Amino acid sequence: MAGLATSFGSGAMTNSIKEIPHSKVILVIGSNTTEAHPVIGSKIKQAVRNGCRLIVADPRKIELTGLAEVWLRLRPGTDITLINGLMHIILKRGWEDRSFIAERTVGFENLKELLREYTPDFVSRVTGVPEEQLYQAAEIYAASDCAQIFYTLGITEHTSGTDNVMSLANLAMLTGNVGKENSGVNPLRGQNNVQGACDMGALPNFYPGYQKVSDPKAQKKFEKAWGVSLNPNQGYMIPDMFAAALQGKLKAMYIMGEDPVLTDANANHVRQGLKALDFLVVQDIFLTETAKLADVVLPGASFAEKAGTFTNTERRVQMVNKAIDPLGKSKADWRIICDLAGIMGYHFIYKSTAEIMKEIASLTPQYCGITHERLGIRGMQWPVLGEDHYGTQFLHKDRFTRGKGLFMPVEARTPDELPDKDYPFLLSTGRKLEHYNITTRHSKVLEGHSSEELAELNPLDAEKLNISDGERVKVSSRRGELETRVKLTDRVPPGMIFMTFHYKESPVNVLTNAACDKVAGTYEYKVCAVQVSKLE
Amino acid sequence: MQWIQLKIDDRKIRVPEKTTILEACRMNNISVPTLCHDPELTNWGACRLCVVEIEGMRNLITSCTMEVQPGMVVKTSTPKVKEARKTILELIVANHDIDCLTCEKMGECELSKYAYEYGVKKDVFLGAKRKYELDDSNPFIIRDLNKCILCGKCVRACAEIQVNNVLDYSKRGFETQVGPAFNLPYGESECVFCGSCLAVCPVGALTEKQMTAKGRPWEYKKVQTTCPFCGTGCNFDLNIRDNKVVGITSNPNSPVNGRALCVKGRFGVDYIHSPNRLTKPLIKKKGEFVEAEWYEALKLVAEKFKTLKDQYGPDSLGALSSARCTNEENYLLQKFMRTVIGTNNIDHCART
């Protein structure tokens, strides 16, 4: 979010999902789309079927690499070098879009200066991608009159995540590939309502609609609307919360619908942080690993038991409709918050979530024209500027949200922790098709289909370690260790091991590194150093 | 765009060029039966049920594969057409397992719908019937080839919606069948269980395992909603009976995905009724969770929050909101932290 917000002025997917099958060129980088976003993945495959040229940049041999015209098998964490290298070639060959750069952007000269060093020879040595593939990819991307970029957490879950994103924004602006149909920079949001949770200001530095808490005008606006005086100090981001808890500065936490013990990096540190609190409240639908540490557990309701909205990756706000009553004595999460506020002497009085949306629309510019009634069965893509506006299919047409697009030259940096003598393997983490984070373990059919972790290990490494397919092994890092079964496959290159974070029996986040991006505070889930060893 | 004028059943009709006769009929509310046609898939002409008479043409023509021509004169319900359609249905029925009593498709079966419409009884043509084993090799889809009518919709859905190309026809004539390569069961094939084949099957050849014997289609209340998993934002219908989510069916009006879904969205929402669900507030007393009433639990939370806020200041409290919860809930939780507690210590795990 922070990266695109800096470059374009809006941290959201620029284009729409329905445009995908008609794309001419698609660059997928850091996204295992067919497993993490399967329906978007099949739309990319439809595009290829329709003649679209596909470039995939990924260290792993994911399904899409088999359909790609060029597969850039870069070393994990070398994304910026790769992208800078592509831009170097584009400039050298004169494939940049000069009129777009002149009319729509600022900062080009700084970028040009930076790119000088990123020669194909240098880039190839750092990334491991052969030079001719760099030329091929640069030509395919730059030569088309419209090209799309899709990325996911393979780009953002790095200590250089924000820089990685800005680097992609540079590539798109350099070639004029933004602000039109089938042409843009598209982060695929990992969860059903990532976009919405950000839009709604569940962030320590923003009120709803990305209005800064540090901006006195925004503070006044919300003070007036909410009838209280507001704290002007920016709050803690997640990693800081656990640290503050350990330092005794944070005394209590209220956690709704998250399980940081399983999903945050360096889980042992998270667990210690939560244990250090005086008081922990967890509101969830299951007794999660985090809930087990709580003093009070409040039973929320699943999506089928309440009405409201989710905002998807293409900014489409869609209805969630109540189909059944909450189970047992559980309650819709919004009602629990209202009840608690009431007991604490504040009146959160809403008859329905439609009324809450009215208040949201009155305070959030992007949601200004949204009501539950208008969303109907097709939803609307923000910005929806008023009651007579029908939403926005793609952003930055004619003008970037911030005015002119900003080239932010970014230098490559290495990940926080790379393999060494003691921890010789690079661990990368992600999802697999059959599971979604940690909830689907409670699905009987999905659990029956895919019930345990199968860490991906290259057969060449396995041979050296005398490990056979399906064997249980120990994986350890500086932060913790676990046991897991392995699958021997050339999906991962030698020296790399890949694991998912779905299984609490092999909780991969005890291994991961909690170093995080300096701006977004996102952990480096995609790179850390581990050791793989045979069980005694 | 050129407009073409033609006559269908004595009505003058204007449609855009490249429109098929079938589409022209449907645009004008002229009903034509089809089993293999699907507006989202390529035209196939496999079932022959959509045949019509066209003036000047010797044979009956499949209307789904023939584009309109200027001045064409089409007849959709002559005795010759009706007779042909009836015979086609009789031939399909002759080799179809007439297992309607417990067939999951009953009520939504297109073969039975047209058989009823055209007065087709079973056993008009007697002869050999296929006898295949049920493919029960996976937790999601039951495949009964004895009910397959070889319309090829699943083949096209696999190739054109999911683009996986797992399904195709094999063998010839009476032995023709549809399935994965080498006639492997689904569970052993490259199938990723997106269930697009299930969503388009017009008969009971592909049915959903989880929904077996849970209710008849007309007994379900369908509620369109948004998938709770990844950020794609697919829509589908929850099928409800007795305050229980029995399963998911595709909703073709879904703005993002149409009928396409993935294995999680289509089959994984049974977590809703998992026995592990929390149904009562819990308070930890002496290290053990004890069930509590709402007022007791919330009062305890309120008092604790107040005490800590008074003692250590509002910034000693923090909250994690959720990218899984609704906008309204995220809005309320940040409002709660900012107004009731008085801190900006609110975050969620997905701010990249």
Side-chain angles (χ1 to χ4, degrees):
Chain A
M1 187 197 89
L4 281 189
T6 307
S7 301
F8 297 161
S10 177
M13 181 161 158
T14 58
N15 291 60
S16 289
I17 295 168
K18 70 170 182 192
E19 297 169 28
I20 297 173
H22 317 291
S23 300
K24 287 188 185 167
V25 168
I26 290 177
L27 164 62
V28 175
I29 179 163
S31 161
N32 181 10
T33 328
T34 55
E35 295 199 60
H37 298 85
V39 168
I40 293 178
S42 47
K43 287 193 190 278
I44 292 174
K45 288 160 76 181
Q46 287 170 19
V48 174
R49 197 182 142 96
N50 293 337
C52 171
R53 304 177 77 180
L54 178 66
I55 309 162
V56 177
D58 205 295
R60 284 201 303 149
K61 191 174 166 187
I62 53 173
E63 185 185 351
L64 284 181
T65 60
L67 297 169
E69 192 170 333
V70 189
W71 170 26
L72 308 167
R73 191 171 206 174
L74 76 171
R75 297 195 178 102
T78 61
D79 305 77
I80 294 175
T81 308
L82 176 76
I83 300 158
N84 282 349
L86 296 178
M87 289 193 284
H88 176 101
I89 294 172
I90 288 169
L91 274 183
K92 199 147 202 188
R93 293 283 163 107
W95 292 332
E96 74 273 23
D97 185 337
R98 284 180 205 130
S99 61
F100 186 91
I101 295 168
E103 288 160 27
R104 302 276 316 264
T105 69
V106 289
F108 175 59
E109 288 307 316
N110 301 336
L111 177 74
K112 208 167 154 185
E113 185 56 37
L114 171 101
L115 293 179
R116 203 158 297 170
E117 297 163 28
Y118 290 84
T119 59
D121 170 56
F122 167 74
V123 171
S124 179
R125 270 184 288 128
V126 175
T127 61
V129 175
E131 278 186 51
E132 59 272 23
Q133 289 186 0
L134 296 172
Y135 281 103
Q136 257 181 305
E139 181 172 3
I140 294 170
Y141 182 81
S144 171
D145 57 358
C146 59
Q148 304 237 63
I149 299 173
F150 291 91
Y151 68 88
T152 320
L153 304 174
I155 281 293
T156 51
E157 284 178 355
H158 286 283
T159 41
S160 57
T162 304
D163 283 353
N164 287 353
V165 173
M166 291 193 292
S167 202
L168 289 173
N170 290 342
L171 176 64
M173 289 191 288
L174 184 71
T175 49
N177 274 318
V178 64
K180 50 190 178 182
E181 208 160 356
N182 298 321
S183 194
V185 183
N186 299 297
L188 301 177
R189 300 301 189 187
Q191 302 181 66
N192 55 327
N193 203 26
V194 168
Q195 190 64 53
C198 291
D199 297 345
M200 291 303 105
L203 296 166
N205 50 345
F206 289 114
Y207 295 121
Y210 308 98
Q211 302 172 77
K212 288 191 180 136
V213 297
S214 58
D215 172 9
K217 254 173 45 195
Q219 190 186 332
K220 266 208 191 103
K221 172 179 168 178
F222 283 91
E223 284 179 340
K224 195 172 159 218
W226 291 339
V228 292
S229 59
L230 293 168
N231 185 338
N233 303 324
Q234 182 168 324
Y236 292 126
M237 288 200 279
I238 293 178
D240 307 331
M241 286 194 200
F242 302 126
L246 282 170
Q247 291 160 7
K249 286 195 250 170
L250 195 71
K251 299 289 184 189
M253 280 183 81
Y254 181 6
I255 299 181
M256 171 175 81
E258 278 201 11
D259 189 6
V261 170
L262 275 188
T263 59
D264 280 43
N266 196 358
N268 291 333
H269 172 78
V270 172
R271 198 181 277 273
Q272 284 161 11
L274 293 173
K275 280 186 175 164
L277 293 169
D278 284 2
F279 190 62
L280 173 63
V281 183
V282 172
Q283 183 170 314
D284 212 302
I285 62 174
F286 293 110
L287 193 65
T288 60
E289 294 304 295
T290 305
K292 286 177 189 165
L293 302 177
D295 297 289
V296 177
V297 180
L298 305 172
S302 82
F303 78 111
E305 296 146 46
K306 58 194 181 187
T309 53
F310 293 152
T311 304
N312 80 346
T313 189
E314 54 163 7
R315 300 167 276 103
R316 187 182 295 274
V317 187
Q318 303 189 96
M319 285 303 300
V320 175
N321 290 308
K322 182 171 183 266
I324 56 172
D325 296 325
L327 300 196
K329 288 196 171 168
S330 68
K331 271 190 198 180
D333 297 79
W334 66 273
R335 285 194 191 276
I336 301 173
I337 302 167
C338 290
D339 290 351
L340 181 61
I343 293 176
M344 293 185 77
Y346 288 77
H347 296 293
F348 279 24
I349 297 170
Y350 303 96
K351 272 197 250 110
S352 64
T353 50
E355 270 190 18
I356 304 173
M357 183 50 85
K358 259 186 211 157
E359 185 174 316
I360 293 168
S362 72
L363 292 166
T364 314
Q366 296 87 336
Y367 285 63
C368 170
I370 291 179
T371 62
H372 280 190
E373 202 178 3
R374 286 193 79 202
L375 292 177
I377 59 166
R378 307 211 38 99
M380 296 177 104
Q381 287 174 280
W382 70 248
V384 185
L385 301 170
E387 280 165 24
D388 50 358
H389 187 247
Y390 291 94
T392 309
Q393 183 189 331
F394 56 90
L395 301 176
H396 316 304
K397 184 174 186 271
D398 305 325
R399 186 183 172 280
F400 283 101
T401 309
R402 73 180 292 279
K404 293 219 174 188
L406 177 62
F407 280 109
M408 288 288 291
V410 280
E411 287 277 10
R413 272 183 295 125
T414 46
D416 184 69
E417 183 188 68
L418 282 170
D420 54 23
K421 207 163 84 295
D422 298 331
Y423 295 94
F425 282 90
L426 188 150
L427 168 73
S428 197
T429 70
R431 275 191 200 144
K432 66 165 145 180
L433 174 67
E434 294 81 4
H435 279 296
Y436 173 80
N437 295 8
I438 48 174
T439 317
T440 50
R441 294 294 303 285
H442 297 284
S443 158
K444 224 164 83 189
V445 290
L446 293 176
E447 181 64 5
H449 187 54
S450 185
S451 58
E452 67 174 339
E453 177 65 29
L454 282 171
E456 295 174 3
L457 185 69
N458 190 283
L460 295 172
D461 290 326
E463 202 183 328
K464 278 185 222 157
L465 297 167
N466 190 26
I467 290 168
S468 46
D469 194 30
E471 191 173 322
R472 285 185 74 77
V473 301
K474 186 169 103 176
V475 185
S476 49
S477 77
R478 289 185 174 83
R479 294 154 293 276
E481 61 175 56
L482 54 76
E483 285 181 20
T484 177
R485 214 174 273 286
V486 289
K487 182 182 176 181
L488 305 187
T489 168
D490 66 351
R491 263 166 76 93
V492 286
M496 180 175 173
I497 176 168
F498 175 84
M499 289 182 71
T500 74
F501 60 103
H502 306 305
Y503 298 94
K504 64 175 182 231
E505 299 81 1
S506 309
V508 75
N509 284 317
V510 304
L511 304 174
T512 49
N513 185 1
C516 53
D517 180 82
K518 58 189 185 303
V519 184
T522 304
Y523 299 118
E524 191 150 63
Y525 290 106
K526 297 300 181 196
V527 179
C528 76
V530 297
Q531 190 187 60
V532 181
S533 47
K534 241 181 132 62
L535 284 182
E536 296 302 317
Chain B
M1 185 176 61
Q2 290 251 319
W3 287 78
I4 306 278
Q5 191 160 325
L6 73 160
K7 239 185 195 177
I8 304 181
D9 292 347
D10 298 324
R11 277 168 62 188
K12 269 192 197 161
I13 280 165
R14 266 163 56 88
V15 290
E17 62 177 344
K18 304 244 180 239
T19 304
T20 64
I21 296 172
L22 177 68
E23 286 162 346
C25 289
R26 293 196 168 163
M27 281 176 207
N28 289 283
N29 293 324
I30 296 165
S31 84
V32 175
T34 53
L35 285 169
C36 75
H37 174 77
D38 190 295
E40 282 177 54
L41 304 174
T42 49
N43 296 325
W44 207 239
C47 75
R48 324 304 290 174
L49 202 59
C50 67
V51 288
V52 293
E53 241 184 300
I54 298 175
E55 225 174 75
M57 290 199 178
R58 199 153 46 97
N59 293 329
L60 295 178
I61 300 293
T62 48
S63 61
C64 71
T65 55
M66 173 71 84
E67 285 176 11
V68 295
Q69 301 292 333
M72 219 177 211
V73 178
V74 179
K75 296 225 155 58
T76 70
S77 55
T78 62
K80 192 172 160 194
V81 166
K82 284 186 176 164
E83 177 67 25
R85 288 179 185 163
K86 188 173 179 187
T87 308
I88 290 162
L89 287 166
E90 283 167 349
L91 286 166
I92 295 173
V93 166
N95 196 12
H96 184 81
D97 184 8
I98 310 290
D99 167 38
C100 304
L101 291 180
T102 53
C103 181
E104 284 299 317
K105 203 70 184 183
M106 190 193 200
E108 281 181 340
C109 174
E110 288 173 43
L111 179 60
S112 102
K113 177 177 113 183
Y114 293 130
Y116 185 81
E117 196 178 319
Y118 284 82
V120 173
K121 303 273 180 196
K122 61 176 184 172
D123 298 342
V124 174
F125 297 107
L126 298 175
K129 285 209 177 202
R130 296 167 294 187
K131 204 87 197 126
Y132 294 111
E133 297 253 319
L134 210 64
D135 175 4
D136 191 14
S137 58
N138 67 85
F140 311 111
I141 298 170
I142 296 179
R143 193 164 64 115
D144 183 355
L145 286 180
N146 302 315
K147 291 179 184 164
C148 175
I149 58 168
L150 303 174
C151 68
K153 271 185 176 180
C154 56
V155 176
R156 281 169 285 152
C158 193
E160 295 168 20
I161 296 178
Q162 183 61 23
V163 204
N164 249 27
N165 301 297
V166 169
L167 302 177
D168 209 337
Y169 291 101
S170 63
K171 304 192 180 170
R172 305 187 69 183
F174 181 75
E175 294 189 327
T176 308
Q177 56 175 286
V178 168
F182 315 112
N183 289 315
L184 288 172
Y186 268 25
E188 291 167 34
S189 74
E190 294 292 304
C191 175
V192 294
F193 297 103
C194 70
S196 290
C197 54
L198 181 70
V200 297
C201 181
V203 294
L206 298 172
T207 54
E208 190 183 330
K209 203 171 194 173
Q210 272 187 98
M211 293 174 79
T212 303
K214 297 278 168 57
R216 290 302 190 179
W218 60 84
E219 293 174 315
Y220 295 134
K221 182 176 88 177
K222 284 185 192 265
V223 179
Q224 183 179 341
T225 196
T226 306
C227 181
F229 298 134
C230 80
T232 306
C234 296
N235 273 207
F236 48 58
D237 285 340
L238 292 169
N239 287 243
I240 311 301
R241 193 181 174 201
D242 301 333
N243 202 39
K244 206 169 173 219
V245 178
V246 177
I248 296 287
T249 47
S250 286
N251 183 326
N253 294 322
S254 305
V256 173
N257 56 306
R259 283 173 302 180
L261 287 170
C262 75
V263 62
K264 299 175 285 258
R266 194 181 297 278
F267 302 110
V269 302
D270 59 325
Y271 78 84
I272 295 169
H273 295 288
S274 156
N276 305 332
R277 277 286 301 272
L278 292 169
T279 54
K280 270 193 164 177
L282 304 172
I283 295 175
K284 203 177 260 168
K285 291 177 181 167
K286 291 182 196 153
E288 297 283 325
F289 282 121
V290 180
E291 290 187 349
E293 292 306 316
W294 272 105
Y295 185 71
E296 185 193 357
L298 289 178
K299 200 158 161 284
L300 175 63
V301 174
E303 277 166 7
K304 273 282 185 184
F305 280 0
K306 258 187 194 156
T307 317
L308 290 169
K309 179 183 161 182
D310 291 346
Q311 200 173 344
Y312 300 103
D315 286 336
S316 69
L317 286 92
L320 298 189
S321 195
S322 174
R324 310 295 311 281
C325 289
T326 63
N327 285 322
E328 290 76 359
E329 288 158 348
N330 277 286
Y331 174 82
L332 280 192
L333 189 58
Q334 62 85 34
K335 183 177 172 183
F336 175 85
M337 291 309 286
R338 290 186 162 123
T339 62
V340 179
I341 306 293
T343 179
N344 287 310
N345 288 339
I346 169 103
D347 202 2
H348 70 282
C349 73
R351 81 198 84 61
T352 4

